[in-house]
Amino acid sequence: MQKRHFMMKNFIGFLLVIILMSSCSEYQKLLKSGDSQAMYKKAVEYYNNGDYTKASNLFDGIRMVFQGTSKAQSVAYYRAFCSYNQKDYEVAAELFKQFVSIYPESSYVEECLYMIGYCNFLASPKARLDQTVTEKAMESFQLYLSRYPNSSRKEQIHEYMDEMRDKLSYKDYLSARNYYLREKYKSAVVSLENCLKDYPGSKYREEIMYMLFNSKYEMAVNSVEDKQYERYNAAKEEYYYFLDEYPESRYAKEMARKYEIINEFLKPYDVDEEE
C-alpha cells in the first residue's frame, strides 16, 4: 500500500514537471514567435492568472507593435498594473504617469491618476531616509483631488496624506532635534521654527516648542553682551507662547526656573524703561 502511494506521489510530481516544462516551452516560443496577437492574448491570460512576470515580459515585447492601434492603451494599462502587482511601485507610478500623459481622454485616467499617488505612497521610505517619493505622492494625490473632488477615494486619500505628513513632520523634527542635541542652537532655532510653520498640527509640537524656548534661552545665556537683551526677550516671548498652549506640561517647572533667570537679567532694563 505504501509502495503504491509512493509511486502515485512520484507520478503526480512527474506530471507537474511535464506541465511546467510545457508551459515554459510555450512561453519561450511566444516570446520568439513575433505573433503579436497571440502574445497579447496569452499576456492577458497570464495576467488574469496572477503570473505578472510573464505577462509583463509579453506586454513589453508587443507594446511597440501595437503603438497607434486600439490595443495600445490596453497594453499600457496592463504593463503599469504588472509592475504594481510585482511591488515595483516606483516603476509602476512612472508607467501610470505615462498612461495619463499619453491617453488623457481614456476612461482609465481617473484610476491611473490615483495609482500614481498610491504607488508612490507605497514606495515611500522610512522617515530618516530621503522623502522625495513621499512628496511626489502628496503632489499626485493633491492633483487627483483637485480633478475629482467628489471621488469615493477621497476619505482614504486623506488618511494616506495624513500619514505622509506625519512622516515628513517627523523627519524635520529629527533634523531639528539633531541640531539641538549637538548644541547648534542657531541652526536649531531655524529648523524648529520651520517645523512649526510647515506642520502646525504636528504631534511633536510640544517638544518642538520646548526645544525652541531652550535654544533661544541658551543663545541668550551664551551670547555676547550687546545681543543678550534682544535674545533674552526672544526667549521670554517663546516662554509665553509655550505656557499659553501647554500650561500643564511636564517641562513647565524647568522652563519656569529659566524664566526667573530671564526676568532677573531683564529687571534693570525694565527699571530704565520706567524712568
Side-chain angles (χ1 to χ4, degrees):
M1 188 74 177
Q2 284 184 336
K3 186 176 179 181
R4 185 178 176 185
H5 178 71
F6 177 75
M7 289 177 65
M8 181 62 70
K9 214 172 159 187
N10 278 353
F11 178 70
I12 292 170
F14 177 73
L15 279 179
L16 287 172
V17 170
I18 295 295
I19 291 167
L20 184 63
M21 287 178 64
S22 173
S23 172
C24 289
S25 175
E26 180 187 16
Y27 167 70
Q28 292 298 334
K29 283 178 182 177
L30 269 174
L31 280 176
K32 298 173 185 177
S33 70
D35 186 342
S36 54
Q37 296 295 338
M39 288 170 74
Y40 176 86
K41 184 179 178 182
K42 195 65 182 178
V44 172
E45 185 182 317
Y46 280 135
Y47 181 90
N48 290 333
N49 289 331
D51 194 339
Y52 303 113
T53 301
K54 287 180 180 177
S56 180
N57 289 338
L58 287 173
F59 283 126
D60 282 345
I62 59 176
R63 66 189 182 89
M64 297 305 293
V65 177
F66 285 113
Q67 199 167 20
T69 72
S70 59
K71 278 196 172 73
Q73 185 180 140
S74 177
V75 170
Y77 179 83
Y78 275 120
R79 284 183 70 228
F81 269 101
C82 280
S83 290
Y84 164 72
N85 284 304
Q86 291 176 91
K87 303 187 188 307
D88 199 348
Y89 297 124
E90 287 190 70
V91 171
E94 191 57 36
L95 290 173
F96 284 119
K97 186 177 179 180
Q98 287 176 17
F99 185 96
V100 171
S101 175
I102 296 169
Y103 307 106
E105 304 301 321
S106 169
S107 59
Y108 297 128
V109 161
E110 180 181 348
E111 180 184 13
C112 289
L113 190 57
Y114 166 77
M115 289 302 295
I116 298 169
Y118 184 55
C119 287
N120 280 322
F121 166 75
L122 293 173
S124 175
K126 292 180 180 178
R128 295 178 185 273
L129 302 176
D130 180 78
Q131 294 299 310
T132 302
V133 175
T134 307
E135 288 163 1
K136 282 183 182 179
M138 296 280 287
E139 289 169 8
S140 299
F141 278 144
Q142 284 163 354
L143 176 61
Y144 176 88
L145 290 175
S146 70
R147 289 194 188 179
Y148 307 102
N150 300 315
S151 169
S152 60
R153 299 183 175 101
K154 183 178 179 178
E155 189 175 334
Q156 183 64 70
I157 287 174
H158 282 309
E159 288 181 18
Y160 293 148
M161 291 180 75
D162 285 344
E163 186 177 327
M164 288 187 288
R165 280 192 201 96
D166 279 348
K167 186 183 290 187
L168 294 173
S169 161
Y170 184 53
K171 182 175 177 62
D172 282 4
Y173 157 79
L174 288 175
S175 176
R177 190 181 67 167
N178 185 44
Y179 285 124
Y180 175 78
L181 293 174
R182 289 163 55 208
E183 300 181 1
K184 305 287 186 183
Y185 296 118
K186 193 172 182 179
S187 297
V189 166
V190 173
S191 293
L192 291 164
E193 286 181 336
N194 284 337
C195 281
L196 293 175
K197 179 184 173 184
D198 295 339
Y199 307 102
S202 170
K203 64 175 74 172
Y204 311 105
R205 184 176 178 83
E206 181 181 354
E207 190 175 352
I208 289 168
M209 291 182 72
Y210 162 74
M211 290 191 291
L212 185 56
F213 164 77
N214 267 347
S215 295
K216 289 188 176 183
Y217 173 81
E218 292 296 336
M219 283 179 68
V221 170
N222 298 291
S223 182
V224 293
E225 190 175 342
D226 63 344
K227 290 186 177 180
Q228 279 189 311
Y229 175 73
E230 178 189 345
R231 289 181 174 177
Y232 271 114
N233 264 322
K236 185 176 182 177
E237 189 176 57
E238 209 60 56
Y239 175 77
Y240 288 142
Y241 288 144
F242 184 92
L243 197 65
D244 185 55
E245 287 196 38
Y246 304 104
E248 305 297 325
S249 171
R250 61 196 172 104
Y251 302 119
K253 287 184 180 179
E254 175 197 339
M255 292 174 70
R257 287 193 294 271
K258 291 178 179 177
Y259 174 70
E260 288 176 12
I261 295 170
I262 292 169
N263 275 342
E264 280 298 313
F265 176 87
L266 293 174
K267 194 181 290 183
Y269 294 93
D270 294 338
V271 171
D272 290 345
E273 285 179 7
E274 286 174 9
E275 292 175 353

